Amino acid sequence: MSGGARFAIADAPFAVAPLRDALLDAQAGAFASFEGWVRNHHDGRAVAGLRYECYRALAETEGQRILDEAQARFAITGVCCVHRVGELAIGELAVWVGVAAAHRDAAFDACRFVIDEVKARVPLWKHERYADGDAGWLHPGS
């Protein structure tokens, strides 16, 4: 995947190792990643689980645009992001970002840029189910 950038929406759990392996490049001396997991609390409330939904066509287009921007903005050799949709339990992997670069600064900076922009711009929403039986919709940046 040298020079590649790939954004995907996943309907089921996915393996991180093949995504990381696809970013291997002889020019890369650094790799940075981010994993976002479903936590058991939000704003002081106990969370029992959640469901992510998205407008898939727009989410994939905007996600790819973000990765393309990262490729143009940072000196990186590759970048990938996968975000889950559907029902997720506490502790499950919800989003993964991986970045390869010649140097660590670019890898770290691009990784932070990608996750921040995905949370701000990609049309994904989460429906949290609380332990008290209540539920509510949130943008995943929450």
Side-chain angles (χ1 to χ4, degrees):
M1 179 190 258
S2 177
R6 184 173 59 100
F7 181 87
I9 297 292
D11 296 311
F14 57 91
V16 171
L19 299 171
R20 182 192 169 282
D21 289 349
L23 293 171
L24 294 174
D25 185 296
Q27 296 178 19
F31 173 79
S33 66
F34 171 82
E35 294 184 4
W37 307 320
V38 178
R39 64 182 178 269
N40 68 356
H41 64 93
H42 179 81
D43 277 347
R45 298 180 78 183
V47 172
L50 59 79
R51 181 177 75 247
Y52 280 102
E53 293 187 8
C54 74
Y55 176 17
R56 187 178 294 265
L58 184 56
E60 290 172 344
T61 299
E62 190 62 21
Q64 188 60 50
R65 184 175 290 129
I66 291 165
L67 299 190
D68 291 344
E69 289 172 18
Q71 289 270 114
R73 183 173 174 175
F74 301 97
I76 60 177
T77 60
V79 57
C80 179
C81 178
V82 180
H83 202 297
R84 282 283 308 278
V85 293
E87 295 290 332
L88 282 83
I90 303 303
E92 279 195 82
L93 181 62
V95 60
W96 183 85
V97 177
V99 179
H103 303 284
R104 68 180 176 273
D105 286 345
F108 282 127
D109 291 347
C111 190
R112 178 65 183 248
F113 170 83
V114 170
I115 191 58
D116 287 350
E117 293 299 307
V118 165
K119 294 299 181 183
R121 295 169 38 189
V122 175
L124 286 149
W125 302 273
K126 64 181 171 182
H127 186 253
E128 285 188 335
R129 293 183 311 282
Y130 303 105
D132 64 10
D134 194 14
W137 286 99
L138 304 166
H139 185 276
S142 301

